[in-house]
Amino acid sequence: MTDDLRSAGAPTLEDVARAAGVSRATVSRVVNGVRNVDPVIQEAVRRAVSVTGYTPNRAARSLVTRRADAIALVVSGAGVEPKAAEESVDTTASGDGSSFTAQVFADPFFGRVVTGVVNYLRPRGMHPVLMFAESSRAREDVVAYLRQGRADGALVVSTHAEDPLPALIAEAGLAAVLFARPARPVPVSYVDLAHQDGARLAAEHLLGRGCRRIATISGPLDVPAGQARLTGFRDTMARHGHPYIPIVEGQFTQESGEEAMERLLAEHPDLDGVFAANDLMALGACHVLREHGRSVPGDVAVVGFDDSSAALACRPPLTTVRQPVEGMAAEMTRLLLDRLSRPDGPVTSVIFEPELVVRGSA
């Protein structure tokens, strides 16, 4: 920054305009993200902003653009109320949703989503507001927050197929994009993975290793991803002459993987291969196998799904199906910003391809 700008106080739009050789109005349009500005001029203004050290006044900018420059990142749960949930599941919460948030933060998947969203928003001068919607009251609060313009739109990650939030947002005419295909059709854009293809990769890898007595720990079967991964795995096994596959349903948690593996070993002690529908459950399965004196992969080969931090924490490291969560979250964010710039544009979907990552467990 030049000495005269330092002495004059905080740089202004006029300072940037003089440095860029353009009008104040042009600088304002570039700073406020107006699209129809010549790219050469945009670059000149950005250089001038960098040289002068100009920082936009967010309050003033929001008055002009009617934007909050914030995006709500919403993790939404099942349709039950916290009190009802306490009666049916073991929880340390007392109706305040703390059990739900604890489960969210325990799963590496959500951290990867946040990373993808933050990395996309940060260079664009925007930030996410993390919200939880585990009850009808919390869902109403999310919709009200968006209606009040406190966030420009919502990125929604649902943890339950019966989640009513996507439909509520669509009915309110609010901008949103979903992570994963909704169980019930709603006119909202989403990103997702080709889950069945990923499960096919897992089945073919276990068969290619010579495994013949293969079982699976599915994800929750009321969640589309859990259903799709099980369908893809069973279909591929059937195509290779294995019409019956032992199945125990898990809940995408390490504990449920441990419980499922205990049951599988009790009912099918001669199994030699396991596909777990996420890495946390595969990690739990490997723990139980070791406790029972089974070597991995010598006695039982194990394949997970996601390629999360749990895959590297496992011993041996997990062979897993990679879900590019960070890239999917970034694309979800891009779709939302595009929606905000073109409110009348069509809803769309983007499907990512899975990839098998071979490590020590299979």
PDB file of all heavy atoms in Angstrom, residues 335-348:
ATOM      1  N   LEU A 335     -23.121 -25.526  -7.166  1.00  0.00           N
ATOM      2  CA  LEU A 335     -24.495 -25.574  -7.673  1.00  0.00           C
ATOM      3  C   LEU A 335     -25.374 -24.556  -6.950  1.00  0.00           C
ATOM      4  O   LEU A 335     -26.230 -23.907  -7.572  1.00  0.00           O
ATOM      5  CB  LEU A 335     -25.079 -26.977  -7.500  1.00  0.00           C
ATOM      6  CG  LEU A 335     -24.511 -28.085  -8.395  1.00  0.00           C
ATOM      7  CD1 LEU A 335     -25.141 -29.421  -8.031  1.00  0.00           C
ATOM      8  CD2 LEU A 335     -24.744 -27.765  -9.872  1.00  0.00           C
ATOM      9  N   LEU A 336     -25.162 -24.403  -5.641  1.00  0.00           N
ATOM     10  CA  LEU A 336     -25.974 -23.445  -4.892  1.00  0.00           C
ATOM     11  C   LEU A 336     -25.667 -22.017  -5.316  1.00  0.00           C
ATOM     12  O   LEU A 336     -26.587 -21.214  -5.525  1.00  0.00           O
ATOM     13  CB  LEU A 336     -25.741 -23.616  -3.393  1.00  0.00           C
ATOM     14  CG  LEU A 336     -26.532 -22.647  -2.503  1.00  0.00           C
ATOM     15  CD1 LEU A 336     -28.030 -22.809  -2.727  1.00  0.00           C
ATOM     16  CD2 LEU A 336     -26.188 -22.862  -1.040  1.00  0.00           C
ATOM     17  N   LEU A 337     -24.394 -21.686  -5.460  1.00  0.00           N
ATOM     18  CA  LEU A 337     -24.046 -20.320  -5.881  1.00  0.00           C
ATOM     19  C   LEU A 337     -24.565 -20.039  -7.287  1.00  0.00           C
ATOM     20  O   LEU A 337     -24.998 -18.917  -7.587  1.00  0.00           O
ATOM     21  CB  LEU A 337     -22.535 -20.115  -5.815  1.00  0.00           C
ATOM     22  CG  LEU A 337     -21.896 -20.237  -4.424  1.00  0.00           C
ATOM     23  CD1 LEU A 337     -20.433 -19.799  -4.470  1.00  0.00           C
ATOM     24  CD2 LEU A 337     -22.661 -19.438  -3.383  1.00  0.00           C
ATOM     25  N   ASP A 338     -24.543 -21.053  -8.139  1.00  0.00           N
ATOM     26  CA  ASP A 338     -25.097 -20.893  -9.477  1.00  0.00           C
ATOM     27  C   ASP A 338     -26.605 -20.665  -9.399  1.00  0.00           C
ATOM     28  O   ASP A 338     -27.170 -19.859 -10.144  1.00  0.00           O
ATOM     29  CB  ASP A 338     -24.788 -22.129 -10.321  1.00  0.00           C
ATOM     30  CG  ASP A 338     -25.196 -21.941 -11.777  1.00  0.00           C
ATOM     31  OD1 ASP A 338     -24.672 -21.022 -12.430  1.00  0.00           O
ATOM     32  OD2 ASP A 338     -26.063 -22.710 -12.264  1.00  0.00           O
ATOM     33  N   ARG A 339     -27.250 -21.370  -8.490  1.00  0.00           N
ATOM     34  CA  ARG A 339     -28.691 -21.192  -8.290  1.00  0.00           C
ATOM     35  C   ARG A 339     -29.006 -19.779  -7.817  1.00  0.00           C
ATOM     36  O   ARG A 339     -29.998 -19.166  -8.243  1.00  0.00           O
ATOM     37  CB  ARG A 339     -29.180 -22.209  -7.260  1.00  0.00           C
ATOM     38  CG  ARG A 339     -30.678 -22.200  -7.015  1.00  0.00           C
ATOM     39  CD  ARG A 339     -31.404 -22.795  -8.193  1.00  0.00           C
ATOM     40  NE  ARG A 339     -32.829 -22.937  -7.942  1.00  0.00           N
ATOM     41  CZ  ARG A 339     -33.690 -23.334  -8.870  1.00  0.00           C
ATOM     42  NH1 ARG A 339     -33.273 -23.630 -10.085  1.00  0.00           N
ATOM     43  NH2 ARG A 339     -34.977 -23.442  -8.581  1.00  0.00           N
ATOM     44  N   LEU A 340     -28.163 -19.255  -6.944  1.00  0.00           N
ATOM     45  CA  LEU A 340     -28.383 -17.898  -6.439  1.00  0.00           C
ATOM     46  C   LEU A 340     -28.222 -16.857  -7.545  1.00  0.00           C
ATOM     47  O   LEU A 340     -28.913 -15.842  -7.553  1.00  0.00           O
ATOM     48  CB  LEU A 340     -27.405 -17.599  -5.296  1.00  0.00           C
ATOM     49  CG  LEU A 340     -27.637 -18.399  -4.006  1.00  0.00           C
ATOM     50  CD1 LEU A 340     -26.496 -18.159  -3.023  1.00  0.00           C
ATOM     51  CD2 LEU A 340     -28.972 -18.051  -3.380  1.00  0.00           C
ATOM     52  N   SER A 341     -27.313 -17.112  -8.467  1.00  0.00           N
ATOM     53  CA  SER A 341     -27.100 -16.166  -9.564  1.00  0.00           C
ATOM     54  C   SER A 341     -28.132 -16.339 -10.675  1.00  0.00           C
ATOM     55  O   SER A 341     -28.379 -15.426 -11.455  1.00  0.00           O
ATOM     56  CB  SER A 341     -25.689 -16.327 -10.145  1.00  0.00           C
ATOM     57  OG  SER A 341     -25.544 -17.589 -10.771  1.00  0.00           O
ATOM     58  N   ARG A 342     -28.744 -17.534 -10.734  1.00  0.00           N
ATOM     59  CA  ARG A 342     -29.776 -17.801 -11.759  1.00  0.00           C
ATOM     60  C   ARG A 342     -30.976 -18.467 -11.078  1.00  0.00           C
ATOM     61  O   ARG A 342     -31.186 -19.677 -11.208  1.00  0.00           O
ATOM     62  CB  ARG A 342     -29.230 -18.704 -12.855  1.00  0.00           C
ATOM     63  CG  ARG A 342     -28.069 -18.100 -13.655  1.00  0.00           C
ATOM     64  CD  ARG A 342     -27.728 -18.975 -14.850  1.00  0.00           C
ATOM     65  NE  ARG A 342     -27.393 -20.328 -14.443  1.00  0.00           N
ATOM     66  CZ  ARG A 342     -27.819 -21.432 -15.068  1.00  0.00           C
ATOM     67  NH1 ARG A 342     -28.623 -21.338 -16.109  1.00  0.00           N
ATOM     68  NH2 ARG A 342     -27.444 -22.633 -14.660  1.00  0.00           N
ATOM     69  N   PRO A 343     -31.783 -17.693 -10.346  1.00  0.00           N
ATOM     70  CA  PRO A 343     -32.885 -18.273  -9.564  1.00  0.00           C
ATOM     71  C   PRO A 343     -33.889 -19.059 -10.405  1.00  0.00           C
ATOM     72  O   PRO A 343     -34.554 -19.961  -9.882  1.00  0.00           O
ATOM     73  CB  PRO A 343     -33.550 -17.044  -8.931  1.00  0.00           C
ATOM     74  CG  PRO A 343     -32.492 -15.992  -8.940  1.00  0.00           C
ATOM     75  CD  PRO A 343     -31.678 -16.234 -10.159  1.00  0.00           C
ATOM     76  N   ASP A 344     -34.008 -18.737 -11.678  1.00  0.00           N
ATOM     77  CA  ASP A 344     -34.984 -19.417 -12.529  1.00  0.00           C
ATOM     78  C   ASP A 344     -34.388 -20.607 -13.280  1.00  0.00           C
ATOM     79  O   ASP A 344     -35.070 -21.224 -14.106  1.00  0.00           O
ATOM     80  CB  ASP A 344     -35.580 -18.433 -13.545  1.00  0.00           C
ATOM     81  CG  ASP A 344     -36.345 -17.306 -12.862  1.00  0.00           C
ATOM     82  OD1 ASP A 344     -36.930 -17.570 -11.789  1.00  0.00           O
ATOM     83  OD2 ASP A 344     -36.336 -16.186 -13.392  1.00  0.00           O
ATOM     84  N   GLY A 345     -33.127 -20.922 -13.002  1.00  0.00           N
ATOM     85  CA  GLY A 345     -32.493 -22.050 -13.681  1.00  0.00           C
ATOM     86  C   GLY A 345     -33.092 -23.378 -13.239  1.00  0.00           C
ATOM     87  O   GLY A 345     -33.714 -23.484 -12.179  1.00  0.00           O
ATOM     88  N   PRO A 346     -32.918 -24.414 -14.055  1.00  0.00           N
ATOM     89  CA  PRO A 346     -33.498 -25.717 -13.729  1.00  0.00           C
ATOM     90  C   PRO A 346     -32.739 -26.405 -12.597  1.00  0.00           C
ATOM     91  O   PRO A 346     -31.548 -26.166 -12.399  1.00  0.00           O
ATOM     92  CB  PRO A 346     -33.339 -26.503 -15.037  1.00  0.00           C
ATOM     93  CG  PRO A 346     -32.120 -25.896 -15.675  1.00  0.00           C
ATOM     94  CD  PRO A 346     -32.170 -24.432 -15.326  1.00  0.00           C
ATOM     95  N   VAL A 347     -33.447 -27.258 -11.845  1.00  0.00           N
ATOM     96  CA  VAL A 347     -32.755 -28.084 -10.853  1.00  0.00           C
ATOM     97  C   VAL A 347     -31.958 -29.148 -11.601  1.00  0.00           C
ATOM     98  O   VAL A 347     -32.278 -29.512 -12.739  1.00  0.00           O
ATOM     99  CB  VAL A 347     -33.751 -28.751  -9.878  1.00  0.00           C
ATOM    100  CG1 VAL A 347     -34.504 -27.702  -9.087  1.00  0.00           C
ATOM    101  CG2 VAL A 347     -34.719 -29.661 -10.624  1.00  0.00           C
ATOM    102  N   THR A 348     -30.913 -29.644 -10.954  1.00  0.00           N
ATOM    103  CA  THR A 348     -30.036 -30.596 -11.641  1.00  0.00           C
ATOM    104  C   THR A 348     -29.446 -31.569 -10.642  1.00  0.00           C
ATOM    105  O   THR A 348     -29.632 -31.435  -9.428  1.00  0.00           O
ATOM    106  CB  THR A 348     -28.919 -29.847 -12.391  1.00  0.00           C
ATOM    107  OG1 THR A 348     -28.192 -30.769 -13.201  1.00  0.00           O
ATOM    108  CG2 THR A 348     -27.947 -29.174 -11.424  1.00  0.00           C
TER     109      THR A 348
END
